Amino acid sequence: EEKEAEDYRAHLYESVDLWSTSRRASLPGGGAELDPEAAPPRFTLSYMPMRNRAEVSRMILESTGCPYYFDVVGFKKWTDEVKPLSVPEWRGDFGKLPVLTSHDAAHALPDGTPLRIGQETAITRFLARECGVAGDDVAEEARLDSLFAFYFCTLRNNGLTHEGEHYSAGALREEAARSASERLTRTTAAKYRATKRVNDLSVAERGLSALGAFEELLEMSDTGFLLSRTEPSYVDLALFVELLELSENEHVPDFADVFHLPRLGAFLETMRARPRLDAYLRSPRRMPRYARP
C-alpha cells in the first residue's frame, strides 16, 4: 500500500499543478497502511490531492491511529466524472469535498445508507468525538469547541481561505522581512482582547494578535498543550497544522524567535516529534501544498 502512495505522489509531481491531476486512488492511513486486514477502516475521507480543508481531519485520524482510507480524487476526475454524477437529493455533502463516509453500521441511516458528512468543521468535530480528542467531559468539550471557533474565524479566515484578511502566512513573511526596529512582534502587536471585530489593523497584526492569544493559553498550561490537557486535542492538532505551514522555508521558519512566540515554537516541535505525526509527515500519503490563485 505504501508503494501505491508513492505511485500517486509521482503522479502529482508529473501533473505539476492541482488542476491537471486526473487519477483517483484509495490510500490507507492511520495504522491501516501497516496491517489493513487486522484493522479494517472505520472511515473513508474523500478529498482532492492537497492539504487545505482535509488536513486537520487527517491529523486527527493519523495521530490517534484510527484506520481509514483517504479517497484522493484528482481535480479533473472530480470535475469531469465524479461531480456530474452527484444525485440532487440530500446526501449530506452538498456536492462538495471533503466528504467523510462512516463504515460503522451504527452510524448508518434508517434505510441502511452509510453516513456521509460534508463540510470541513462538521467532519472535524465528528472525528474528534469518535477518535477521543474532543474533550474528557462536557465542560472540556465546550471549552475546546469555543477554542476551535476562535481558531476557525482567525487562523482559518472563517473557512474561506488560508491566506485571507484575518490571517496570512504570506503577510507574516513580509512582516518578518522588515528590520527588527520596524517589525511587529507578539509584544508590540495589538492584544486580541483589545481589538474590535471590525478594525483597520494590517493582516500581519491581526495574525499576530491571534497567535498571541494561543501563546497566552500555552503560557497558562502546565503540560504544553491547550487547556493543560495531557494529550493533544483536535484544536491542538488544528493549531499544529497552521504552525507547520507558517514554519515552511518560504514563510517564517524561525517565527518563534522573530515574533517572540517561544511557547508556540516549543509546541510545534513537541507535536512534530510525536511518533505517529512524525510518520505521517514523512509519508508519501501526505498531500503537497499548492500555490493558491
Side-chain angles (χ1 to χ4, degrees):
E1 274 66 20
E2 201 68 15
K3 284 186 178 179
E4 184 180 350
E6 291 171 354
D7 181 53
Y8 197 90
R9 174 60 67 91
H11 163 66
L12 297 183
Y13 283 102
E14 290 167 1
S15 301
V16 179
D17 65 273
L18 172 67
W19 323 115
S20 65
T21 54
S22 59
R23 290 180 55 187
R24 184 174 188 174
S26 184
L27 308 182
E33 78 281 3
L34 301 177
D35 189 357
E37 293 184 0
R42 293 181 60 194
F43 307 102
T44 292
L45 180 64
S46 301
Y47 195 51
M48 293 174 190
M50 57 180 171
R51 300 174 194 173
N52 204 11
R53 301 183 190 281
E55 193 65 3
V56 175
S57 296
R58 294 196 76 188
M59 286 290 185
I60 293 172
L61 293 163
E62 294 288 345
S63 68
T64 60
C66 178
Y68 75 103
Y69 279 108
F70 183 51
D71 172 29
V72 54
V73 188
F75 186 81
K76 291 183 69 176
K77 176 75 71 174
W78 166 251
T79 56
D80 297 344
E81 299 179 27
V82 180
K83 191 169 186 176
L85 296 178
S86 297
V87 293
E89 65 266 20
W90 165 254
R91 294 188 63 184
D93 56 30
F94 302 99
K96 306 288 185 182
L97 293 180
V99 170
L100 182 77
T101 302
S102 172
H103 303 302
D104 188 339
H107 295 154
L109 303 185
D111 64 358
T113 302
L115 175 66
R116 286 166 55 88
I117 304 172
Q119 302 300 309
E120 175 185 356
T121 54
I123 293 170
T124 298
R125 288 182 167 106
F126 176 79
L127 285 177
R129 290 191 295 271
E130 287 295 306
C131 296
V133 291
D136 296 333
D137 52 42
V138 173
E140 188 174 75
E141 182 175 347
R143 294 176 69 200
L144 288 172
D145 194 25
S146 175
L147 275 182
F148 185 70
F150 172 72
Y151 147 85
F152 203 71
C153 73
T154 56
L155 304 187
R156 281 288 283 109
N157 291 292
N158 290 306
L160 181 63
T161 175
H162 283 265
E163 293 280 336
E165 62 177 336
H166 299 291
Y167 178 82
S168 163
L172 290 174
R173 178 186 63 236
E174 294 176 2
E175 190 66 30
R178 295 161 65 90
S179 66
S181 61
E182 297 178 328
R183 180 192 312 139
L184 286 170
T185 68
R186 177 251 178 140
T187 54
T188 57
K191 297 285 188 182
Y192 186 84
R193 67 173 64 87
T195 64
K196 297 180 179 179
R197 291 187 182 274
V198 178
N199 57 64
D200 58 0
L201 299 178
S202 68
V203 175
E205 187 161 17
R206 290 172 186 162
L208 285 172
S209 293
L211 290 172
F214 281 109
E215 179 79 10
E216 289 182 5
L217 285 169
L218 290 174
E219 285 176 345
M220 294 186 288
S221 170
D222 54 11
T223 64
F225 300 123
L226 298 172
L227 303 191
S228 293
R229 284 175 54 87
T230 56
E231 291 291 323
S233 70
Y234 73 105
V235 188
D236 289 279
L237 292 164
L239 178 60
F240 176 53
V241 168
E242 297 305 322
L243 294 180
L244 274 176
E245 180 160 345
L246 179 59
S247 66
E248 295 274 7
N249 287 334
E250 68 268 31
H251 288 145
V252 194
D254 54 349
F255 74 88
D257 293 330
V258 169
F259 295 129
H260 303 173
L261 297 166
R263 298 301 178 98
L264 284 176
F267 169 84
L268 174 62
E269 296 311 312
T270 296
M271 294 290 285
R272 201 200 304 261
R274 294 179 70 84
R276 284 175 175 163
L277 290 178
D278 177 64
Y280 172 60
L281 295 179
R282 296 173 184 272
S283 168
R285 294 178 290 107
R286 191 184 186 214
M287 295 294 105
R289 288 174 49 233
Y290 286 95
R292 300 177 180 93

